[in-house]
Every structure is written in C-alpha cells, then in structure tokens.
Amino acid sequence: VNGQLQVTVKGWNSIMAGYGRCRHPEDVERIFQELTQRSQQQEPHLKPHFKAHVTRLQAWSKVGEPKKASHALNELISLTTEQQRQQQRGSEGVHKLFELDTSCFNAVLHAWSRSKEADKAERAEQYLNEMKRLAETRGLCCRPDKISY
C-alpha cells in the first residue's frame, strides 16, 4: 500500500508455524496474543484466522502442555459456537472461518495422554465426549477416529 510493505495474517501464521515446529510454543502464544491485540485496536485485518488458532493449539500439544492446548481448543469451540449463532441469525458477512475438525481434538487428546496429571484419563474422556456431542448436535466434522482412541 503506497509503496509500503503490508503485514498480513498469512505471514504471521508462517512465523507461528515455524516456532511451533521448533517447539517454541511461548513464541507462538506471544505472536497470537499480539495479533489479537492489534486486531482489536487499529488493525482488524490482523485478526487471527483458524490456522493461527490451530497452530497455537498444536504447539502447546507438541510440548506436552495439555492445559494450554485445552484452553486453545476451548477458545476455538467458543468461536465456532458464536459463528454458528451469527449464521443462524442471518448476519451478513459471516463466513465459515472456523471449522473444528478431528485433528484439533486429537492434538489435545495426545497432550493429555502424555500428561503426568492424575486426572489425565478423565480429561481425555471429557474431550472425546465433547467431540461426539459437537458432531451429533451441531454437525461439525469432529467425529472421533482411530487416532482419537
């Protein structure tokens, strides 16, 4: 724009993915929070897309942080729920930006399976049941698969 380099979410997503692959979830989280903050202030084009949310979730899962991965998944579930409400109300401009799938839940299940928390089995079962519920009640593409079990 006017000879200036335009910062995009896609570019930031690539940086986040690199940090995630290098097992640096703190950096993924830092960038995610910065994008969220900047999008709420003066740069709405920097609002994190679905890919940024998934990258964040997977980064925490990869380093065995099930509580942080679960938090990221819960935020995705909330965003998906809000998006569906807006679509049902017929809000214009609502696109299918967030589509939960099985891999999102599997990342959290994997983190819980490697956890040292005493209630890890109960937590994993809770997410498995949530997958089933969302698939049945909302028609989301997050049915458990062989990896989930």
Side-chain angles (χ1 to χ4, degrees):
V1 180
N2 296 333
Q4 295 179 346
L5 190 59
Q6 180 77 20
V7 179
T8 66
V9 173
K10 188 175 182 180
W12 284 112
N13 284 347
S14 295
I15 294 168
M16 288 171 62
Y19 278 129
R21 280 191 298 277
C22 294
R23 302 175 73 83
H24 293 284
E26 297 85 4
D27 292 315
V28 173
E29 185 71 31
R30 178 182 49 79
I31 292 170
F32 182 88
Q33 295 304 329
E34 182 179 335
L35 288 174
T36 301
Q37 184 178 29
R38 287 173 66 178
S39 72
Q40 293 169 349
Q41 294 171 350
Q42 299 174 349
E43 301 173 271
H45 66 282
L46 291 179
K47 184 174 184 173
H49 293 181
F50 179 73
K51 180 68 176 156
H53 286 271
V54 173
T55 299
R56 176 184 177 219
L57 184 159
Q58 290 173 338
W60 287 120
S61 173
K62 190 178 284 192
V63 297
E65 289 282 353
K67 290 181 180 177
K68 292 179 179 179
S70 295
H71 178 75
L73 178 59
N74 290 337
E75 285 184 7
L76 263 176
I77 292 169
S78 294
L79 288 168
T80 303
T81 300
E82 180 57 32
Q83 175 183 278
Q84 285 185 327
R85 284 187 189 129
Q86 289 177 0
Q87 286 175 333
Q88 289 170 351
R89 287 192 302 254
S91 298
E92 289 187 31
V94 175
H95 304 289
K96 228 178 193 179
L97 300 176
F98 298 101
E99 181 66 51
L100 284 174
D101 62 17
T102 304
S103 68
C104 295
F105 281 89
N106 283 349
V108 171
L109 291 171
H110 180 71
W112 280 113
S113 73
R114 297 182 316 161
S115 172
K116 292 181 176 28
E117 299 281 333
D119 64 343
K120 68 181 187 176
E122 291 82 8
R123 297 282 196 117
E125 186 177 18
Q126 173 189 0
Y127 281 101
L128 195 60
N129 290 333
E130 182 70 359
M131 284 175 81
K132 294 175 188 176
R133 186 186 71 76
L134 289 171
E136 291 169 7
T137 62
R138 296 204 206 140
L140 296 178
C141 301
C142 57
R143 293 196 188 292
D145 60 13
K146 64 182 178 181
I147 296 170
S148 307
Y149 292 102

